[in-house]
Structure formats: C-alpha cells, structure tokens
Amino acid sequence: MVEVGERRRIGARGRVALRAAELATWASRKAGRGKGSMIGGLVALKIDPNILGELGRDRRTVIVTGTNGKSTTTRMTAAALSTLGDVATQADGANMDAGIVAALHAHFDAALAALEVDELHVPHVADAVDPAAIVLLNLSRDQLDRVGEINMIERKLRAGLARHPDTVVVANCDDVLVTSAAFDAPNVVWVAAGGGWAGDSVSCPRTGEPILWDGEHWYSTGSDFQRPTPHWWLDDENLYGPDGLVLPMSLALPGKANRGNAAQAVAAAVTLGATPEDAVAAASGVDEVAGRYSTIEYGSHSVRMLLAKNPAGWQEALSMIDPTVDGLVIAVNGQVPDGEDLSWLWDVRFEHFENVAVVASGERATDLGVRLLYAGSPHTTVADPLQAIASCPPGRVEVLANYTAFRDLGRALARETRDV
C-alpha cells in the first residue's frame, strides 16, 4: 500500500484524519456494520474539514449531478475515463461529502475521478476539487422536505458554476432548468440527452414567463432564453457528435433515459481526452449499478430490480417495465431518505398496467394502493416485499421500489438466496 501523502500532498492534520478514517473503517467491518466507508469519511472530515480539497488536488475530476441518473451516469463516466487511466469513484452512490472523501481516499493515487454529487453539495464540492468538467443531467422535484423548491437548486448551481469559469459544463439542453443553470457558463458542451419530464419547467426560471415547446425546441416567451443547438445528440441506434461523428451505441442498460446518460458520460470523457469510440464502448458495457437492473433468482421467480425516487424517475422507470412479465411488485416506503411526503404519487401515471398482476407493497403500501385504485389498476396489497414477490405467479417478476424499499429488499433477497 502506498504511504498516505507519498504521491499526493497531504498535510499533517490530513494524514492523521486519514489514518483515523482507516481505523474507523476497519472497526466497522470487523463489527459487521457494513463496508465502513461512510464512517471513515465522516471521521476524516471531523478531524480535518479541508480533507476533501486535499484529496481532490491534482486530479482531473468530473462531477456528475442531477435529480435522476447520477449513479448510472457516474458509473458510465468512470468506465469511459478508465480508458485513460485509474479512476476514483463511488461504487455505492454515496454522493455527499463523507462518501466522496471515502472514494477519493480508497483510490488515493488515481489521477482521474468521476464523482456523483448531490445537487445541494455541488457548489462547495466543486470549490474543493476544482473539477475539469461538471455534468448536469436534469432537475425536477425531489424530496421537497429536504431539498426544497427546484428553482432554488437551479439558482445555487448557476452561482456555483460562475465561480469556475474554466470548468467545462456538459449540460442537457433538453432540460430547461439545467440549461438555465449552464446558460451563462463560458465553456459548455450541450447534449440533447432527452427530457421526458417537463412538469417542473412550465415557466422560465429567469423571467417567470411561459416556456413554449415546438417539437424538440423550446423557448421562453419573455427573453432570448431558448434551447441551445446541441453538440452531441442521439437516436435509437447512434450517438452523433462534433465534426460529423456518428457512432453506433447499443447499451446493456434499458431505457431512453440511460441512452441520454451515456451520451453525457461520453461527452464528458471525450472532454478529458478519451476517444469517442473507446468511451462509447466502455459506457455501453455497464450492465448493473449498485444492484439496479440486476436479476435475482428467488424461489420460482426471476426478479429484476428497478429503482425510482421521484415523479420524473418513477415515470421513466415505469416505461421500462416489460408488459409481458408475470408479476409487478411496486414497493414504497416513506422514511427520511425517501422523503416522508408521498403526495408525489399522484403525479405519476400508474394507468397502463391493465394486463399485469400488480402488487402494492412496502411500508406505505396502503397509500400506493389508494393511488392504484384511482388509476384503475387492478392490484393486491402485500406489505412485505418478499411476500409480495412470493404472491406473484411463477416466472418473471419486476420490482420497482423507492430508495429504502429497494435497499432493504436487496438485503433481504441476498440473505434468502445465500441461505438456500
């Protein structure tokens, strides 16, 4: 193991912080409390609040943020950047300061980094690591009790980007709020990554005037703010880029949103020097992200796991459901990490499951059941997700769950399959 500070300049306090983090991580693992990376990051920050900047120094870093798709795009970006060298990144989606510190510490000598960062944390993380590029995916309502109104997030991101004029911003020009955040940045790579959810962008974030759509193009009626011309765009078969570039792109992951995620990951990696061909090949090979999209054999069922966290994410995930499956379990919790206010359920269209056996599950199965009832979607209610899966006909079952329901069910399935 390379001695801490041997290749990367870490001050005396930082070295103590990292040693303490290693001990905390070791103790957590020995106690069976998990991987210990988060507690290690928290301990390091407690001892040296500047450790994030010290660990991020002298790396070429890509920050990935947005309401949906952060983990997937970060994974794809890391894969694309790995064609250039070793990459520091999070494997578990821990996207706040402690998780970022843990990832940078774990990949101490990597010259490159692909960091998933919570939207609220982007400005100060960018100040600490001075990224080469920032990827802006999309912005929509998510956990209003924690995050607040989405226009406030856009303004904070816009102000944060203004402090880094040399950073390349890889922004989704199909998202009105993302475009507003990046519009004034001097170095922007515009990507037409798609925008299936427009419910939070009906008015201009700059003037308050209506946003009007004309096919793919959108514009504000109150100013010259409008959809920029993209440098990268895609269709169902190819990725298109600067100078007439056309590359076939066939992904291991499903859904149009993931094609958009891959386009932004490739654009970011190319900005840092990867060849488009290598970047597309690497991003296309990503087939699983922290358990998402994975398939698990459980009894007489083949279970595919999907994660959604907010109205935009749920709408996209619902479009990935195979209508020929034998059963669909929708699991919803309302814990703090999920957001305790589940009124967003009424913004999601659950009306197109007439021919699928649907089971409402999770801690808030009753709330979900009421929404499904009003959607005219026949269903049963089984609160325990494992029992909900078992209640489905034998064969293929898709599970769509929000954050803690997905996490807890994944752990339960791992225990059950390990004990078989």
Side-chain angles (χ1 to χ4, degrees):
M1 177 179 176
V2 177
E3 183 70 19
V4 172
E6 182 179 329
R7 298 185 185 177
R8 192 170 303 284
R9 299 188 304 275
I10 302 292
R13 186 170 184 174
R15 291 196 295 272
V16 171
L18 295 182
R19 290 303 187 200
E22 290 172 353
L23 288 172
T25 298
W26 175 84
S28 178
R29 290 173 179 171
K30 291 293 286 184
R33 301 296 295 273
K35 296 180 181 179
S37 56
M38 285 296 294
I39 188 63
L42 288 168
V43 167
L45 285 164
K46 193 71 173 178
I47 295 172
D48 184 0
N50 298 316
I51 192 62
L52 177 56
E54 293 194 56
L55 287 171
R57 186 187 299 127
D58 300 326
R59 300 185 200 253
R60 301 177 68 210
T61 297
V62 177
I63 284 176
V64 178
T65 197
T67 307
N68 292 302
K70 291 188 292 292
S71 295
T72 300
T73 308
T74 301
R75 180 74 174 271
M76 290 176 167
T77 302
L81 288 177
S82 69
T83 64
L84 300 174
D86 292 337
V87 183
T89 192
Q90 305 107 308
D92 55 2
N95 58 28
M96 299 185 190
D97 293 21
I100 296 166
V101 166
L104 293 175
H105 184 199
H107 304 273
F108 190 77
D109 291 308
L112 299 162
L115 301 177
E116 175 185 344
V117 183
D118 179 87
E119 304 93 288
L120 284 173
H121 288 240
V122 168
H124 74 259
V125 172
D127 291 344
V129 305
D130 192 20
I134 295 178
V135 177
L136 300 181
L137 299 170
N138 47 67
L139 290 172
S140 63
R141 281 170 292 149
D142 184 24
Q143 298 185 34
L144 295 180
D145 50 349
R146 180 183 73 86
V147 177
E149 289 294 338
I150 196 62
N151 284 62
M152 177 270 291
I153 300 297
E154 184 273 324
R155 291 191 295 270
K156 287 189 174 183
L157 285 173
R158 193 194 315 178
L161 293 176
R163 298 197 294 271
H164 297 274
D166 295 330
T167 295
V168 176
V169 182
V170 180
N172 179 6
C173 64
D174 290 327
D175 188 288
V176 174
L177 288 163
V178 158
T179 302
S180 180
F183 203 65
D184 302 321
N187 297 305
V188 185
V189 174
W190 296 109
V191 182
W197 181 270
D200 297 309
S201 302
V202 295
S203 62
C204 177
R206 292 170 170 246
T207 67
E209 298 296 324
I211 292 288
L212 298 182
W213 290 80
D214 181 10
E216 294 180 342
H217 187 71
W218 57 261
Y219 61 94
S220 169
T221 58
S223 69
D224 60 356
F225 178 60
Q226 60 182 313
R227 182 183 187 262
T229 301
H231 301 100
W232 296 82
W233 65 100
L234 69 156
D235 58 25
D236 292 338
E237 296 180 355
N238 299 316
L239 175 64
Y240 304 88
D243 303 320
L245 178 71
V246 182
L247 289 173
M249 188 170 72
S250 178
L251 303 184
L253 296 181
K256 289 184 177 180
N258 282 326
R259 291 187 67 78
N261 293 338
Q264 290 195 255
V266 169
V270 169
T271 294
L272 268 68
T275 68
E277 295 80 5
D278 288 346
V280 167
S284 297
V286 173
D287 59 2
E288 181 267 342
V289 182
R292 305 168 199 184
Y293 314 106
S294 62
T295 299
I296 301 169
E297 299 301 321
Y298 175 60
S300 61
H301 301 98
S302 179
V303 181
R304 186 172 76 138
M305 302 280 289
L306 298 171
L307 172 69
K309 302 178 184 178
N310 48 63
W314 275 85
Q315 207 63 64
E316 181 61 36
L318 285 167
S319 72
M320 299 181 192
I321 299 298
D322 183 347
T324 69
V325 294
D326 300 289
L328 169 62
V329 174
I330 305 176
V332 175
N333 287 354
Q335 299 180 23
V336 171
D338 306 303
E340 296 172 303
D341 178 1
L342 293 189
S343 59
W344 55 263
L345 282 171
W346 296 89
D347 294 325
V348 179
R349 291 186 57 80
F350 289 101
E351 279 79 6
H352 60 294
F353 293 116
E354 295 84 0
N355 300 316
V356 179
V358 179
V359 185
S361 189
E363 296 171 353
R364 303 291 286 273
T366 302
D367 298 81
L368 175 60
V370 171
R371 175 67 186 97
L372 292 172
L373 178 65
Y374 275 84
S377 179
H379 65 281
T380 57
T381 301
V382 181
D384 182 278
L386 278 179
Q387 294 179 16
I389 294 171
S391 74
C392 293
R396 294 183 300 130
V397 175
E398 306 226 284
V399 174
L400 178 55
N402 67 350
Y403 179 73
T404 64
F406 182 94
R407 179 199 65 194
D408 296 346
L409 178 57
R411 292 172 178 171
L413 283 170
R415 287 194 301 270
E416 292 289 326
T417 55
R418 185 175 59 243
D419 293 340
V420 171

